[in-house]
Amino acid sequence: MRWSQSFIPTLKETPSDAEIISHQLLLRAGLVRKLSGGLYTFLPMGLRALRKIERIIREEMDRAGGIEVHMPALQPSDIWQQSGRYETAADVLYKVRDRSRKEWVLGPTHEEVITTLAANELNSYRQLPKNFYQIQTKFRDEVRPRFGLMRAKEFLMKDAYSFDASDDGAMASYRRMYDAYTRIFARCGLKAFPVEADTGVIGGNYSHEFMVPAETGENDVVYCESGQYAANIEKAVSRGSAVPTPSVSSGEAPEKFPTPGVVTIDALAAAPYLVPAQHQIKTLVYVVDSQLVLILLRGDDQLNEAKLMARTGAVHARPATADEIVATLGARPGSLGAVQQVPATVKVYADVTLRDARGMTTGANEDGFHLRHVDAARDIRVTQWEDLRTVKVGELCVASGQPLKIRRAIEVGHVFKLGTKYSVKLGSTFLAEDGSRQPTVMGCYGIGVTRTLQAVIEQCNDKDGIYWPMSVAPYQVCLTVLDIAPAGRPMQTAEKLLAELTAAGIEVLLDDRDDRPGVKFKDSELVGFPLRVNVGEKGLVKGEVELKPRKGVVRFVKVEDAVREIVAHVQGELAALNADKAS
RNA sequence: CGGGACGUAGCUCAGCCCGGUAGAGCACUUGGUUUGGGACCAAGACGUCGCAGGUUCGAAUCCUGUCGUCCCGACCA
């Protein structure tokens, strides 16, 4: 391919609406252009890199026993009604109506479609297990699309769904996908690692997310340097707060004392009250699936909403409004407590940290007053004790006992053991060997293909631009001719190299533009081709061309050795990326 | 959906406070000189100042509404 005949609109300046480096480089390197918020056109270089990632995914999915299919993006809304997600996923569903006013859904994911297929087609244990996958555009009505391809309204996803006859079988399918994902990301040159993940409203019992460490990620990952534990913060647990909870009772009954104007933990911790945060009980009021509930945490802890939803089995949870709180408890936020004036119908969820807490201070449910000498278990009617707190840096790892760390990361993949939720609702059953009819046991496995592309850029960039891993580069080699006169030695040599390298299976882009060398060098580094070959008169008088790896030093090789050297370089880097995949 | 910022040439931005003929750099076109790290000179083309309404003799500038974009938060099967 020739640069002049492709379309690679590079930008010298950073577009003002791109905040993070990978988004800026997507635009500057001419990989994509924005149509509208969260909607992007892929230009040739972006599309080629995307296709490379797709190809790696297909190879590894096929190798792991995946069966490629292609499902409709436009789906009848009634299967969404059947699964129950017409309501629970309503926020992200794009809905459209046809001429007869019938409603359709633009698929944000395909559990409903594939399970409908399985219900019709998989009827015997002899047909199981099966693992169907596709690479397809998904649509999600994101509240806030951002960071280019990272969170878009329309994006490319590889989704796979396994159907097994037993739980053990499902576990084996899950394991195969887990291993395949490890290989896929390694082959893409990405440093991705699996972490335990929250299972959300699907419930289920086993889930890992594949995370790429990046400051610009939208997830917090709790991990132990021993390598024995890593989890999304929504799911993470520890051996508890590093600060002990008071556990000695004063023996006295709760006592009300005036605290005019005190509405925060910090204010009560300050003079003249001097009640340390860990001696306080924080009372939060939430509306969980339309029911008002109280949530109790130690004063210095933060609620983990994902845990709240997981432990209560809730579909929706939100903080109550001030009006709802006053109507039920008679006091305003800042003076709330669960000791008295809590209607019997209101559930009280307390963090386990408080189970043995004694001598605590909490709100009196009366503006301007708090209670002291509160022994949580003695004085509060707790409906359910649960782990509801968010893990903090430095708490001890449940596995190794070492201090935990937290870092930001980008989620590029998710493997999920679904169980029988969808198979039961959508009727995917089979006849077992003993003649009984049973629901298939499912798993689902997603990779954000477009997000993976951007994650590679987020991880592989420097001040000059992108440096693609050889496996996902739009072209493996940029052949930079420094003088494009058609009859001149540089162009003649370059044409010959282009033909021979292409014949040898190397992906070459010949930069035949009528531009000064500096422009071509800068552009090739910005777009990020892993190897540049400079062909100029200066080298040719010595019978040489220059090999300049994007992240290495320049090397001079004889023209007659160039093809062999270039092939060896490209294949060497590919082999190194593929070697990592063995795990 | 709450909070904030911003919409002026293809891109980056100035002008707006303090109303009075639309600006710069880059990119683009033509000619010339250059030619191993984002060249130089000259000439040229490119704008309903996001849109609508209002105030005013006069609005890019002030006011109101609206649409869009970005950031923070909320949300994220």
Side-chain angles (χ1 to χ4, degrees), chain A residues 245-267:
Chain A
T245 308
S247 60
V248 178
S249 176
S250 63
E252 297 177 62
E255 175 197 359
K256 189 159 84 176
F257 65 104
T259 51
V262 172
V263 293
T264 62
I265 300 286
D266 286 347

Side-chain angles (χ1 to χ4, degrees), chain A residues 24 60 106 125 129 159 273 294 307 334 355 367 381 419-420 579:
Chain A
Q24 293 170 356
E60 294 299 336
L106 286 175
Y125 74 97
D159 46 327
Y273 309 104
L294 295 190
K307 286 185 180 177
R355 199 192 281 269
D367 289 351
R381 173 187 58 79
T420 57

Side-chain angles (χ1 to χ4, degrees), chain A residues 143-378:
Chain A
V143 184
R144 180 147 95 93
R146 61 179 139 178
F147 300 152
L149 307 175
M150 286 294 188
R151 183 165 293 279
K153 293 178 176 170
E154 184 184 316
F155 61 97
L156 198 64
M157 182 174 181
K158 188 285 300 177
D159 46 327
Y161 307 90
S162 64
F163 296 85
D164 274 272
S166 69
D167 209 59
D168 285 350
M171 213 53 234
S173 292
Y174 181 91
R175 198 71 220 174
R176 261 197 303 281
M177 285 296 102
Y178 182 101
D179 292 341
Y181 276 32
T182 303
R183 287 194 297 270
I184 286 167
F185 295 122
R187 285 186 62 187
C188 289
L190 262 183
K191 293 180 184 69
F193 60 96
V195 308
E196 293 179 22
D198 178 51
T199 50
V201 303
I202 291 182
N205 38 19
Y206 220 67
S207 172
H208 285 87
E209 289 163 342
F210 283 78
M211 294 288 194
V212 175
E215 278 313 302
T216 52
E218 297 188 82
N219 302 273
D220 282 310
V221 170
V222 176
Y223 68 103
C224 172
E225 286 195 332
S226 74
Q228 293 178 53
Y229 185 75
N232 191 310
I233 197 155
E234 295 181 341
K235 164 95 175 177
V237 295
S238 71
R239 295 191 181 178
S241 174
V243 181
T245 308
S247 60
V248 178
S249 176
S250 63
E252 297 177 62
E255 175 197 359
K256 189 159 84 176
F257 65 104
T259 51
V262 172
V263 293
T264 62
I265 300 286
D266 286 347
L268 201 57
Y273 309 104
L274 298 176
V275 181
Q278 69 271 20
H279 290 225
Q280 300 184 40
I281 297 174
K282 179 190 287 188
T283 307
L284 303 176
V285 186
Y286 264 67
V287 176
V288 174
D289 287 351
S290 317
Q291 285 199 309
L292 199 91
V293 303
L294 295 190
I295 295 150
L296 307 184
L297 296 161
R298 209 175 72 177
D300 57 339
D301 278 336
Q302 295 294 318
L303 172 66
N304 185 326
E305 285 193 18
K307 286 185 180 177
L308 173 68
M309 295 178 69
R311 305 296 187 273
T312 60
V315 175
H316 291 295
R318 62 167 174 85
T321 64
D323 289 346
E324 289 168 329
I325 292 170
V326 172
T328 308
L329 299 177
R332 307 188 59 77
S335 307
L336 302 179
V339 176
Q340 42 192 302
Q341 291 162 357
V342 178
T345 52
V346 173
K347 288 182 179 165
V348 179
Y349 297 104
D351 184 75
V352 290
T353 306
L354 297 172
R355 199 192 281 269
D356 298 318
R358 300 187 180 87
M360 304 293 282
T361 298
T362 189
N365 270 346
E366 185 177 341
D367 289 351
F369 292 91
H370 279 73
L371 296 173
R372 57 181 155 225
H373 309 315
V374 173
D375 294 0
R378 180 192 69 186

Side-chain angles (χ1 to χ4, degrees), chain A residues 88-122:
Chain A
T88 57
D91 290 350
V92 300
L93 282 185
Y94 277 110
K95 297 168 187 171
V96 294
R97 287 187 185 279
D98 64 17
R99 70 190 77 196
S100 64
R101 306 293 298 156
K102 177 175 162 56
E103 189 177 79
W104 304 81
V105 165
L106 286 175
T109 176
H110 281 69
E111 280 84 0
E112 282 76 4
V113 178
I114 196 71
T115 311
T116 299
L117 180 82
N120 293 331
E121 307 294 337
L122 300 180

